[in-house]
Amino acid sequence: MGRATNVHWYQGSLTREERWSHLGAKGCTIWFTGLSASGKSTISSAVEKVLVSRGVRAYRLDGDNLRHGLNADLGFSADDRVENVRRVGEVARLFADAGSVALSAFISPYLRDRDACRQAHDKAGLPFLEVFVDAPLAVCEQRDPKGLYQKAREGLIQGFTGIDDPYEPPRNPDLVLKTHEMSIDQCVDACLGLLEQNGLLSGP
Ligand code: ADP
């Protein structure tokens, strides 16, 4: 419970099981984490495309995109990063509850914040699959599709993950994608395999 008082949970008249059964859907969150330029947006968007083309509800929550709207009031301070991830975790949980595969693509550098999102999903009885998009810093820096590493090295951006802010890798990810060794297609197949292994691709 947050700061609001006299707020009561309204259960509604439709259970999750009924919703998913009527929609022929199964919800979950795939949480992509990794350094900037490791490939989170590229892979999550390719996975989204394959899933939707197969008739599976899927929706991507992309770090940069959400900072245009829901998270437009947040910067990159430690507190703001925590709040950024918390909000995305909550939105992902809602999408998952609604029966979608929520694909979250955020650096989400801190273990504690990602664990909090996992716990929120566990508590709600929703699957949370953490995918570590694992490319070495040197590779990400060389890719640098947005020129951000260069700016960080020049001191034009402070607190940049991997340069002057830490990245804490997952201790026990559900999947590791070494994007410097695997093609984009191989990464997408591995994500689909992960969904399949967890019984999340076929209808209920
Ligand atoms: P992020 O969302 O993690 O910041 P992006 O997806 O925006 O990363 O950028 C990753 C860059 O790396 C893209 O230019 C992409 O084409 C390139 N790339 C090369 N190989 C791969 C791969 N196997 N998986 C994902 N991206 C790759």
Side-chain angles (χ1 to χ4, degrees):
M1 189 62 135
R3 280 183 218 154
T5 52
N6 295 315
V7 181
H8 300 276
W9 185 267
Y10 186 78
Q11 192 54 47
S13 53
L14 182 67
T15 65
R16 179 185 298 155
E17 290 67 32
E18 286 167 339
R19 178 193 307 280
W20 288 9
S21 165
H22 287 309
L23 296 174
K26 278 184 181 173
C28 69
T29 291
I30 305 185
W31 191 279
F32 293 89
T33 171
L35 294 170
S36 180
S38 57
K40 301 176 297 299
S41 297
T42 304
I43 297 164
S44 58
S45 116
V47 171
E48 179 187 38
K49 191 168 178 178
V50 174
L51 289 176
V52 172
S53 72
R54 292 187 188 179
V56 177
R57 287 171 177 75
Y59 195 79
R60 191 167 45 89
L61 303 165
D62 187 282
D64 279 1
N65 295 0
L66 263 73
R67 281 184 180 276
H68 283 86
L70 178 67
N71 292 341
D73 59 326
L74 300 177
F76 289 90
S77 67
D79 283 354
D80 281 4
R81 280 178 190 258
V82 172
E83 178 59 9
N84 187 41
V85 171
R86 189 193 70 80
R87 287 186 199 172
V88 179
E90 287 298 309
V91 175
R93 189 173 61 81
L94 293 173
F95 270 85
D97 186 38
S100 277
V101 177
L103 300 152
S104 140
F106 284 73
I107 298 174
S108 44
Y110 307 136
L111 271 170
R112 202 182 53 183
D113 303 342
R114 295 192 307 266
D115 283 349
C117 292
R118 182 188 286 277
Q119 276 163 26
H121 280 70
D122 286 351
K123 202 171 150 200
L126 291 163
F128 181 91
L129 303 168
E130 190 175 21
V131 177
F132 180 22
V133 186
D134 181 18
L137 177 63
V139 171
C140 295
E141 205 166 345
Q142 201 181 6
R143 288 179 181 162
D144 206 10
K146 301 168 209 151
L148 297 176
Y149 284 100
Q150 194 180 339
K151 281 191 183 162
R153 290 287 185 199
E154 289 167 0
L156 299 173
I157 304 176
Q158 263 93 47
F160 195 74
T161 302
I163 305 293
D164 55 354
D165 212 66
Y167 177 78
E168 300 170 352
R171 293 210 181 100
N172 193 16
D174 297 279
L175 179 67
V176 179
L177 299 174
K178 296 201 172 286
T179 62
H180 54 302
E181 294 170 357
M182 295 164 76
S183 70
I184 295 171
D185 284 348
Q186 285 173 327
C187 294
V188 171
D189 285 347
C191 293
L192 297 176
L194 179 67
L195 285 171
E196 196 129 38
Q197 281 159 29
N198 285 277
L200 294 165
L201 266 190
S202 50

